[in-house]
Amino acid sequence: MSFDLLAEPVLSRSAVDRDEPLRTDTARQVAGWPTAQLVVVDADGRTPVVWDTEPDAGFRVGDAGSWDVGGGARLKTRATTGDAPPPEAVLLGERDGVAYWGVRGRPDLVAGDDPSEWADLRMTGAVLDALGAGLFTTAVAALNWHDAAGFCSRDGSPMHPANAGWHRHCEAAGHEEYPRTDPAVICLVHDGADQVLLARQPIWPEGRYSVLAGFVEAGESLEACVEREIHEEVGATVTDIRYLGSQSWPFPRSLMVGFQAVADPSVPLVPADGEIAEAFWATRADVRKALAAGDWSARTDAPFLMPGKVSIARSMLEAWAAL
């Protein structure tokens, strides 16, 4: 029983034109700088968020996943200073003639801010509108790469940003490096009927479960990675592997490529020692009940906790549960 995602994964949403030609057009960059907006991201991956609908009393940022996708919040961007983009800024794209740039937080950019407004992408990605979600995801991904790419991978010499932050230039030999993305597969395994395979990593809270995932190895296809990871993690053999969708997961630099596959629930599961604490087959009825209970719920009537709405895993489980 195959299925499709009900909607675009939340961190795949975007409402900006990346406008690659602008990355090398310094005259246009300077001309547009006075009306540009900055997305300021601190070292912890947080940026200020403005709530269009005020949360209820007692609301915590960590509860944001229980809000409807794409409703309730937007990024608090800020005006530029100076005459031109600084070298460390990353051009995120344009919308309605306004250029958006991502920068790391500096004291002059964050002075006077209310600390309670600052939140990270995991907590707010699902509730931001498409403009905010796309800008925040791209800013986090690109700035994380710059933080880790200060020296050339070939000769160790210093690297300097260029092309509006979309490559780094080697000081010694002129070698160019581009933002790195590590592909990972994430797969919803079902039995072709009314059961889905769920698992929990040892570091997760008790009761929280999700679908299985793993990084793609060098020389490996995505489908081969699905087969290998599922077998390594729980001992199951999968068939009928089908693509579902993808989304960026910049923690620090992954791309999650979603699949569905079929396995036999009568075959005993063998959780990988140190990687999987528990694995079991859940019914569609229990998944629906867990989804209805809300994210990170403490309600005792929830059979287990589901991944938050910012994750493509949540999109996959919602689509399967809706069959």
Side-chain angles (χ1 to χ4, degrees):
M1 183 183 296
S2 182
F3 65 96
D4 296 313
L5 297 181
L6 302 177
E8 186 177 21
V10 296
L11 295 190
S12 293
R13 296 174 300 134
S14 183
V16 294
D17 176 5
R18 291 198 171 215
D19 196 359
E20 185 175 357
L22 179 56
R23 298 175 185 176
T24 56
D25 192 335
T26 54
R28 276 183 61 203
Q29 293 172 23
V30 172
W33 184 246
T35 58
Q37 289 289 301
L38 298 180
V39 177
V40 181
V41 182
D42 70 9
D44 295 320
R46 302 175 304 167
T47 199
V49 172
V50 177
W51 295 94
D52 295 325
T53 303
E54 284 298 321
D56 296 333
F59 175 86
R60 296 176 298 108
V61 171
D63 298 326
S66 64
W67 283 47
D68 290 337
V69 169
R74 54 190 170 84
L75 292 188
K76 182 179 180 181
T77 58
R78 61 198 69 205
T80 57
T81 58
D83 299 324
E88 69 274 11
V90 178
L91 177 63
L92 307 176
E94 283 189 312
R95 169 74 180 273
D96 297 331
V98 175
Y100 291 87
W101 295 77
V103 294
R104 278 288 183 223
R106 305 191 309 265
D108 61 310
L109 291 174
V110 302
D113 274 15
D114 180 350
S116 68
E117 291 184 342
W118 287 69
D120 67 22
L121 186 59
R122 291 178 187 266
M123 294 295 100
T124 60
V127 296
L128 289 169
D129 57 16
L131 176 63
L135 289 172
F136 199 3
T137 302
T138 303
V140 170
L143 293 171
N144 281 348
W145 171 69
H146 278 288
D147 290 347
F151 298 94
C152 180
S153 61
R154 294 188 179 184
D155 59 25
S157 63
M159 300 284 285
H160 303 289
N163 277 31
W166 286 97
H167 79 240
R168 292 182 72 93
H169 188 81
C170 174
E171 186 178 277
H175 170 60
E176 293 180 355
E177 293 188 359
Y178 295 84
R180 176 168 170 186
T181 297
D182 296 335
V185 300
I186 182 165
C187 185
L188 185 148
V189 180
H190 59 89
D191 66 347
D194 293 317
Q195 295 186 89
V196 65
L197 180 57
L198 298 178
R200 184 176 71 83
Q201 293 184 15
I203 61 173
W204 290 356
E206 288 287 339
R208 179 191 168 191
Y209 296 89
S210 186
V211 297
L212 296 167
F215 284 104
V216 181
E217 293 187 343
E220 185 176 46
S221 71
L222 297 173
E223 293 81 0
C225 183
V226 169
E227 292 184 21
R228 176 182 58 78
E229 283 288 345
I230 301 300
H231 191 266
E232 287 179 356
E233 292 190 347
V234 296
T237 299
V238 296
T239 60
D240 299 327
I241 300 170
R242 300 185 184 184
Y243 174 73
L244 284 172
S246 66
Q247 83 168 16
S248 174
W249 192 247
F251 308 112
R253 58 189 183 200
S254 298
L255 173 69
M256 304 303 295
V257 186
F259 292 89
Q260 60 176 300
V262 177
D264 183 354
S266 68
V267 177
L269 298 174
V270 184
D273 187 37
E275 288 191 47
I276 303 298
E278 303 172 67
F280 70 101
W281 288 93
T283 66
R284 197 185 312 274
D286 276 346
V287 171
R288 289 172 177 169
K289 190 173 182 180
L291 291 170
D295 296 352
W296 314 107
S297 172
R299 288 170 47 179
T300 57
D301 59 340
F304 37 75
L305 297 177
M306 290 278 89
K309 289 181 180 178
V310 73
S311 168
I312 190 175
R314 176 61 168 262
S315 300
M316 296 161 69
L317 285 162
E318 288 178 337
W320 178 83
L323 290 175

